């Protein structure tokens, strides 16, 4: 059954039973019944309470099985200890959705009952929302099946939140903001229905045009990415709790760099979810996305009656990465006719304080009809001689007269109470209005981001590389496991990488000085010598890496030094010998690695080496596997990207070769996701266009089993 069919009776119920309905004011069981009545719920309401005949004027039933008709949704308002019994009765009654407000489940450590609850529901094809929630609110059916005070201001955004308190707060905020919701879903512990389900459902809901999420954590990150990518409606989300987590314990470079922020940034991008960083940004972007089309090009025109807010808008535009450029000359000519001589027709277009309504009307008409303009921002500073609500009405008229509907328009009116009135006027006409030009620009950048996602398409273009040897890779893993270890030595890690076609260069382990000399003869000079020991992961720290070795004498001397240094560094370390490898020519040092994220699974990282990664943490992530094409798109995600483009006379680096390696490593850690915890190719020496790269150091850590 599709998510839509399965969840339709849950999110749009025709009948609702309230388990634990109460006559006592102030209880949740009383509030939910009252809310359903006062919200004007269109379906049937069945209060269930063994000790009451009537609640708030409605006939009450002893158990759910006494209810005469079908019940789509049962809202649980009983204490946790009664939930399972009630759920069994609901299952008998074939209730389609169990909305479990009751708390006292996994959030307090009681996982067992939560799992039991889901099992009871699943057995009869019923779905569970919660537990530990405020309830669900739908403006479509006027169902306020919650203890939030009332249904939200009407709108076309579906809001799904893990925080119930935030649901109530934002429910109230919608009336002040004139920013409405089609539905508000509190999903709490997400024992069953999660964000992916809600995305799939509201993507097909005719009353919803934008999906907004407040996320604390995901249970199945990959399903979330798939659901987001497949959705045809814009999704805006905020993730709370993105500060560093568990990074200190990580054994690899990649592990220590993977904060939740970076991983979620990547996952949102891959899920085609527009991020928000504050509640304000979340609501503003959602409102605009629910009302306006995507911004399909970079040309935003700003029309303003005040120079100051125009300049502020210009600054913000740059900060949000949607910089303004000057309007073409024919458009400037047309605009100049709508303003006094001292106005400006460039961008922002300053029609000046004296221009009034006619100025706005003329400028809007000229702008929207011009093919260069992709989106319009209308700014207004309250003046003594103009009325904000009148300006708002005029702006709407002018927009309507152009018949242009495929270009996004947002407004920012700066001023007092009369601007609040203008907000209602504009919002009712589908034009989001804010009190700060910065917010208008943030919203425009969100609309631009969304348009870019649409360009990307919904297909995931990953196709596995065929010339990989998964069997050989698993053999290396088995060897390391057999030795009772989780960390690979460099030659082991390189064998693993080589199985997936990563260019690791030739290397051999020498157990004795004489063997080192013999191997040096095979490899040729110059060469590099390093210690091989599972206990010495950071070889330079132990002074056990010697580069640019050019003679037999040096080989002998360095063999002795490396073994001695290793013993000094860690007397009980298990020394396998000295790794002899060809010395790669100088190149740009980059790092590529992976971690196995608890929510998203194998996740790949890329950044430049050296101080870029150590100090600036200038890295970017993707959930694996990714194609070379997706890897190419990952590269500009770091600040140091211009170095790969070639600066100060240097040639462009071989980005294609790099993308191929990132993609191959992503496939490796994905295929062996059950085994590999972390990996690093650090450094990779990257050469100029056409000359490829070399992985000169490799590290792999297995999952603990
Ligand atoms: P560590 O365990 O300390 O990370 P590496 O193997 O990365 O040791 O070696 C330290 C540095 O030596 C590298 O960052 C790189 O600059 C250089 N290096 C290591 N191996 C090679 C090689 N085969 N060719 C050229 N330079 C190398
Ligand atoms: Mg290294």
């Amino acid at each position: 059954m599709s998510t839509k069919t399965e969840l339709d009776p849950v999110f749009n119920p025709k009948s609702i039973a309230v388990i634990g309905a109460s006559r006592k004011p102030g209880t949740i069981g009383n509030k939910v019944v009252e809310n359903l009545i006062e919200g004007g719920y269109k379906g049937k309401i069945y209060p269930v309470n063994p000790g009451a005949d009537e609640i708030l004027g409605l006939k009450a039933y002893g158990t759910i099985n006494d209810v005469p008709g079908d019940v789509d949704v049962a809202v649980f308002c009983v204490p946790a200890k009664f939930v399972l019994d009630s759920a069994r009765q609901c299952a008998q009654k074939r209730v389609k959705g169990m909305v479990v407000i009751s708390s006292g489940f996994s959030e307090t450590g009681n996982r067992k009952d939560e799992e039991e609850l889901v099992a009871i529901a699943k057995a009869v094809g019923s779905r569970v929302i919660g537990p530990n929630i405020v309830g669900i609110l739908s403006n479509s059916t006027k169902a306020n099946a919650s203890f939030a005070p009332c249904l939200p201001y009407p709108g076309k955004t579906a809001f799904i939140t893990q925080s119930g308190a935030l649901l109530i707060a934002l429910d109230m905020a919608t009336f002040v903001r004139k920013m409405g919701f089609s539905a508000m879903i509190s999903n709490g512990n997400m024992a069953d229905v999660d964000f992916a389900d809600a995305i799939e459902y509201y993507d097909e809901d005719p009353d919803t045009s934008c999906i907004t999420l407040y996320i604390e954590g995901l249970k199945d990150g990959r399903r979330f990415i798939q659901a987001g990518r497949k959705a045809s409606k814009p999704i805006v989300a905020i993730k709370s709790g993105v500060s560093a987590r568990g990074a200190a314990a990580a054994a690899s470079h990649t592990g220590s760099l993977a904060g939740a922020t970076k991983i979620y940034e990547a996952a949102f991008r891959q899920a085609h979810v527009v991020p928000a960083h504050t509640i304000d940004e979340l609501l503003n972007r959602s409102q605009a996305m629910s009302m306006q089309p995507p911004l399909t090009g970079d040309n935003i025109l700003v029309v303003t009656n005040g120079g100051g807010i125009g300049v502020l808008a210009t600054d913000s535009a740059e900060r949000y990465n949607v910089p303004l450029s000057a309007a073409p000359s024919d458009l400037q000519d047309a605009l100049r006719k709508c303003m006094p001589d001292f106005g400006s027709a460039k961008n922002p277009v300053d029609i000046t304080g004296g221009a009034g309504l006619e100025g706005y009307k003329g400028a809007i008409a000229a702008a929207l009809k011009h093919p260069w303009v992709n989106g319009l921002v209308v700014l207004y500073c309250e003046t003594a001689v103009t009325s904000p609500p009148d300006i708002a009405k005029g702006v709407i008229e002018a927009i309507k007269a152009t018949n242009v509907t495929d270009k996004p328009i947002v407004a920012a009116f700066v001023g007092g109470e009369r601007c609040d009135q203008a907000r209602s006027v504009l919002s009712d006409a589908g034009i989001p209005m804010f009190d700060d030009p910065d917010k208008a620009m943030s919203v425009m950048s969100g609309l631009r981001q969304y348009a870019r996602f649409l360009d990307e398409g919904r297909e995931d273009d990953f196709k596995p590389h065929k010339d990989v040897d998964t069997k050989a890779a698993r053999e290396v893993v088995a060897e390391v496991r057999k030795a009772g270890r989780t960390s690979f030595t460099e030659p082991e890690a390189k064998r693993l990488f080589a199985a997936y076609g990563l260019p690791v260069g030739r290397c051999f382990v020498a157990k004795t000085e004489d063997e080192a000399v013999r191997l040096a003869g095979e490899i040729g000079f110059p060469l590099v010598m390093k210690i091989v020991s599972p206990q010495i992961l950071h070889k330079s720290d132990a002074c056990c890496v010697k580069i640019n070795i050019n003679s037999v004498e040096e080989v002998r001397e360095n063999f002795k030094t490396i073994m001695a240094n290793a013993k000094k560094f860690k007397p009980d370390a298990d020394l396998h010998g000295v790794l002899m490898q060809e010395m790669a020519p100088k190149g740009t040092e980059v790092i590529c690695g992976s971690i196995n994220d608890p929510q998203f699974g194998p996740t790949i990282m890329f950044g430049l080496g050296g101080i870029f990664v150590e100090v600036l943490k200038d890295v970017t992530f993707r959930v694996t596997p990714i194609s070379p094409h997706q890897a190419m798109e990952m590269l500009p995600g770091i600040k140091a990207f211009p170095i790969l483009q070639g600066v100060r006379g240097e040639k462009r680096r071989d980005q294609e070769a790099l993308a191929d390696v990132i993609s191959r490593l992503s496939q490796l850690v994905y295929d062996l996701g059950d085994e590999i915890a972390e990996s690093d190719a650090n450094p990779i020496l990257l050469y100029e266009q056409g000359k490829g790269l070399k992985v000169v150091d490799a590290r792999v850590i297995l999952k603990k089993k």
Side-chain angles (χ1 to χ4, degrees), residues 67-115:
V67 171
D70 283 347
V71 177
D72 279 346
V73 161
V75 184
F76 288 52
C77 307
V78 292
K81 61 180 181 213
F82 300 122
V83 165
L84 293 184
D85 273 343
S86 305
R88 285 185 196 105
Q89 293 175 11
C90 287
Q92 262 176 8
K93 179 77 182 163
R94 292 288 192 266
V95 164
K96 302 199 181 69
M98 305 190 194
V99 173
V100 186
I101 292 181
S102 323
S103 44
F105 292 87
S106 66
E107 83 284 6
T108 59
N110 180 9
R111 281 180 200 290
K112 205 176 126 276
D113 285 351
E114 191 166 301
E115 280 163 19

Side-chain angles (χ1 to χ4, degrees), residues 528 530 537 539-540 581-582 584 589 682-683 696-697 699:
V528 172
K530 305 175 188 176
L537 291 180
K539 302 172 293 285
S540 308
Q581 62 186 249
E582 55 192 22
E589 292 204 358
N682 179 33
V696 300
D697 185 20
R699 184 169 308 159

Side-chain angles (χ1 to χ4, degrees), residues 3 80 100 114 138 240 276 310 328 379 392 445 518 553 559 603 609 616 687:
T3 310
V100 186
E114 191 166 301
S138 156
S240 71
L379 302 181
S445 82
R518 187 178 57 76
E553 294 73 58
F559 187 93
T603 302
L616 304 174
Y687 305 114

Side-chain angles (χ1 to χ4, degrees), residues 298 300-302 310 313-315 317-318 322-326 347-348 372 441:
D298 290 325
I300 301 172
L301 193 81
V302 176
T314 311
D315 294 345
E318 210 161 290
V322 281
L324 301 182
S325 40
N347 193 12
W372 179 84
M441 286 306 170

Side-chain angles (χ1 to χ4, degrees), residues 467-490:
D467 56 341
V468 301
D469 191 344
T470 312
K471 196 164 152 269
R474 290 220 177 256
E475 274 165 20
V476 187
V477 171
E479 272 175 39
V480 174
R481 288 265 186 225
K482 204 166 161 215
R485 287 186 273 126
T486 49
S487 49
F488 283 48
T489 60
E490 180 181 330

